[in-house]
Amino acid sequence: MSNEQTLYNQLLALDGRGYKAYQDIKGSYQFQDFILIIDHVQSDPFASPSKIILKIPAFVAQFPPSLYQSPSRTLGLEDYLIRQFDQVARQISSHRGTGKSGLIAIVSVGQEILKRTAAFVREGNLEIRFFVGLPARGRTILGRQAAQMLCEDIPEIVDRALKYSALNPEALRKQVETVEDADWLRQELGKRGLVEFVANGSILPRRSGVDARPLETEAIPFQSPKSLEVSFNCPNRGLIEGMGIPQGITLIVGGGYHGKSTLLRALELGVYNHIPEDGREFVISEPTGVKIRAEDGRSIVGVNISPFINQLPQGRSTDNFSTTNASGSTSQAANIIEALEVGAKVLFIDEDTAATNFMIRDRRMQQLISKEKEPITPLIDKIRQLYTDYGVSTILVMGGSGDYFEVADTVITMNNFQPEEVTKQAKLIAQQHLNERLWEGGDTFGKITPRMPLSESIDPSRGHKAVKVKVRDVDEVGFGTEEIDLTAVEQIVETGQLRAIAAALIYAKNTYMKGQCTLSKILDKVMADIASEGLDCISEFPQGDLVFFRRFELAAALNRLRSLKVSL
Ligand code: ADP
Ligand code: MG
C-alpha cells in the first residue's frame, strides 16, 4: 500500500494535466491515523463526485465500547458520526474551481436516525464513506488543491469529527441511549396492546413545510389526556409517561388548525427513530404502520380492490384491477390493499389527503344513489372488518364528519394543540343523533389476493446501458426508461432511501423473482438479507449513499412502476 506522502506527491505531479489523469490515484493509501481508499474517480468535474472510503482503527478512534455494545447503540453512534462529518466538512470544504471541485460531502440526512452505508462501526473500528469533487479549472487538474483536500482537509475532518476525544461525550451518550430507548419502546407497544406512544413534552410541530426541524418558539408541548396516559420504564431514561393509543380504530377530531395533521404526521414518522432535540424522539409507532392517501393518476397493476370497489361501469373486473390513471377513490383503495398485502398492521389516514367518496357516504346519498349504482364501498363500512378480520388498526384524522363515531374505539380531540379523550361523548352523540346510514360492508372484509411480480417487467436498462437508475430528491426514481413517482409515499424521508429502493428493486429481480414467488415472500427475503448482511448486499459495489427503507416503501416503488406485470 502506498502512503500519504506518495499520494501528495502524485497529486502535485498531476497539476496541469487533463482530468482523465486523476484515474491514476485510484487505490489505497496508509495515512498516519487511517487508511484512505479512493474507490471511484469521477470522469469530469461535473460528473458524480469521486468515492472515498476511510478506515479508522479502534485504537485511533477510541470510542468506548458502551457506545456500540448493542445494535441500537451502534446505529446511534454511526448516525452521530455522519452528522459530525457533515458539519465539519461543510465548514472546511470550499469551492476550488469548476463544477463540483472542492466538494467534500457525506450522504445528506434529516431528523431521522437510519441505518446508512456512509458509516459503519464494527468492534470500534470505523468505516466512513463519502464524496469528493476532485478539483479542476475547466478540465485541467488543480493538483495542489487536490493535495490539500485529500492530505490536509480529510485528516482534519478525521481529527474533528471521527475521534472520540473531539466530540461532546454527553451528546453522544444521549444519542445512543435515545435510540436504544426508542427501539425498546417500539418493541413494548404490542405487549401492551398499543399501536402508538407519544411522550409528554414532545414537540410535534415543525418549522415549516420544507423544514423538518422542530418549531422553536410558541410550540405547545404535548400532554396526554389522563385517560390515555401510560408509562414505561425505559432501559436508560427510566420512567417515561405519555399518551398510548390502543389497537383498534382511533379517530382524531377537532377544529381546523388545532393540530390534528401535525399529530398524525408525527405518528406516521414514529416508525423511525429521531435525533434527541427533534421533539419527536419519543413518538413511537408500531413498525408496520403505513400512511394511506388518495393518489389519483397513479398506475395500478393487478390489485384485488373488490373489498372497496365493485361493479364498475362497463362491467370491469375489480378483483384483478389495473389502470394507468387511477381515480382518487380507486387509488386510495389500492394503497390500502397493497399495504395489507405486504403486512401493514396500522393505517394512517388524514382527511386532508383522502378522497371524500372513499371515506363517507351518508344516508341522503345512499337514498339518491342506490348501492347498485355506486361501485365504492366507503371505508366507514370496512374499517371495523379490517380490524376484526385482519387485526389491522386505523388512525384516522377526520374533523369534517361525525359518521365515524359509531365505528371508533377511541376518539381523541385536538383542542388548541392539546389532546383530550372524548370517546364517551362521541358514542353518546352517535346514539342521540342517529345517522340512519345503511350498512354496506357485507359480512367480511374480503380476500387480500397475493400477487407475483414478473421479473421481465422490471427493466432498469436504457438503450445500451445495462442499469440506469437516477434519483431526484425524495420523490422520484428514474428507473430505466421510466420515472417512478413517489411523491405520495410520505414515509420516504431521505433521498438515500430512494437510491436503496432502486438498488433493491434490481436485487429483488435478479435474486428472488424467479418462478412463482409472491411479492410478500420476495420482500421477506430481501429484507432478511439486508438485516443479516447490511445494505451493502443490494449493491454490486460499496456505495456510500444508501439508506435503510422498509418493505412497505420498496413495495410502494414496485407498485408504481408502470411497466410492472404480475400474475395471480
Ligand atoms: P389541523 O390538521 O387540525 O387543521 P395542523 O396540524 O395542520 O391542524 O396545524 C395547524 C398549524 O398549527 C400548523 O402550522 C402547525 O405547525 C401548528 N401547530 C400544530 N401543533 C402545534 C403545537 N403543538 N404548538 C404550536 N403550533 C402547532
Ligand atoms: Mg389537517
Side-chain angles (χ1 to χ4, degrees), residues 266-511:
L267 299 178
E268 284 160 38
L269 294 182
V271 299
Y272 299 131
N273 291 326
H274 289 85
I275 52 172
E277 325 302 332
D278 174 78
R280 301 169 300 184
E281 63 273 32
F282 293 111
V283 178
I284 309 292
S285 297
E286 209 278 340
T288 66
V290 175
K291 174 66 179 288
I292 299 294
R293 52 170 290 169
E295 188 184 349
D296 56 291
R298 66 159 285 193
S299 72
I300 296 173
V301 182
V303 178
N304 177 3
I305 54 171
S306 67
F308 292 111
I309 318 273
N310 277 292
Q311 296 166 317
L312 286 177
Q314 304 169 324
R316 277 185 73 185
S317 142
T318 57
D319 47 18
N320 176 0
F321 181 80
S322 300
T323 176
T324 56
N325 185 8
S327 70
S329 55
T330 330
S331 62
Q332 198 171 347
N335 285 347
I336 291 182
I337 302 288
E338 288 167 348
L340 300 177
E341 180 188 7
V342 296
K345 288 292 173 208
V346 180
L347 305 179
F348 302 105
I349 303 177
D350 191 330
E351 62 183 347
D352 290 352
T353 49
T356 307
N357 59 345
F358 182 77
M359 302 301 290
I360 48 178
R361 183 163 132 81
D362 65 15
R363 176 73 186 128
R364 288 180 175 167
M365 200 53 80
Q366 286 181 325
Q367 203 136 17
L368 185 66
I369 311 292
S370 64
K371 176 82 182 106
E372 303 75 59
K373 294 192 183 120
E374 172 55 273
I376 306 169
T377 303
L379 181 66
I380 188 168
D381 289 327
K382 286 291 181 186
I383 198 165
R384 172 64 38 204
Q385 297 163 341
L386 215 42
Y387 186 57
T388 50
D389 296 4
Y390 292 108
V392 174
S393 299
T394 305
I395 299 177
L396 180 63
V397 167
M398 180 58 101
S401 164
D403 278 0
Y404 276 85
F405 288 177
E406 260 105 343
V407 293
D409 298 304
T410 307
V411 184
I412 297 166
T413 163
M414 291 303 285
N415 185 19
N416 287 316
F417 311 126
Q418 286 300 350
E420 288 163 42
E421 196 200 346
V422 292
T423 312
K424 284 206 186 80
Q425 294 94 307
K427 293 287 180 192
L428 198 64
I429 291 167
Q431 281 169 16
Q432 286 167 350
H433 304 270
L434 298 177
N435 64 19
E436 295 177 334
R437 286 189 72 249
L438 305 175
W439 172 254
E440 298 184 344
D443 297 333
T444 57
F445 179 79
K447 191 168 180 302
I448 295 162
T449 312
R451 296 171 300 157
M452 291 176 278
L454 301 182
S455 141
E456 61 274 19
S457 69
I458 299 158
D459 183 7
S461 69
R462 184 167 193 152
H464 58 285
K465 283 202 164 176
V467 170
K468 183 111 197 320
V469 174
K470 213 172 156 192
V471 164
R472 224 197 49 208
D473 207 8
V474 291
D475 51 24
E476 202 173 275
V477 182
F479 194 82
T481 53
E482 243 193 77
E483 243 102 73
I484 312 178
D485 182 354
L486 294 162
T487 324
V489 184
E490 295 177 357
Q491 287 161 302
I492 294 176
V493 290
E494 286 183 18
T495 308
Q497 290 182 300
L498 281 196
R499 280 197 209 93
I501 286 170
L505 281 178
I506 297 166
Y507 177 76
K509 167 190 161 88
N510 294 338
T511 319

Side-chain angles (χ1 to χ4, degrees), residues 205-206 215 218-221 255-263 352 417:
R206 303 292 101 190
L215 185 66
E218 291 164 5
I220 297 180
Y257 215 79
H258 279 255
K260 302 184 297 295
S261 296
T262 303
L263 171 60
D352 290 352
F417 311 126

Side-chain angles (χ1 to χ4, degrees), residues 67 69-77 113 175-177 179-181 183-184 273:
L67 295 175
Q69 71 194 10
S70 71
S72 299
R73 286 178 175 240
T74 304
L75 169 61
L77 175 57
I113 296 179
Q175 164 112 346
V176 301
E177 290 185 352
V179 178
E180 197 169 54
D181 283 348
D183 281 343
W184 180 86
N273 291 326

Side-chain angles (χ1 to χ4, degrees), residues 206-283:
R206 303 292 101 190
R207 274 190 213 170
S208 79
V210 292
D211 186 345
R213 290 173 297 171
L215 185 66
E216 276 176 316
T217 50
E218 291 164 5
I220 297 180
F222 188 89
Q223 182 64 43
S224 173
K226 274 284 163 265
S227 57
L228 291 176
E229 196 154 62
V230 294
S231 66
F232 291 91
N233 204 352
C234 297
N236 301 301
R237 199 178 191 271
L239 181 74
I240 190 168
E241 296 176 313
M243 180 173 84
I245 298 185
Q247 293 162 355
I249 297 156
T250 302
L251 205 57
I252 300 170
V253 301
Y257 215 79
H258 279 255
K260 302 184 297 295
S261 296
T262 303
L263 171 60
L264 191 78
R265 181 68 182 148
L267 299 178
E268 284 160 38
L269 294 182
V271 299
Y272 299 131
N273 291 326
H274 289 85
I275 52 172
E277 325 302 332
D278 174 78
R280 301 169 300 184
E281 63 273 32
F282 293 111
V283 178

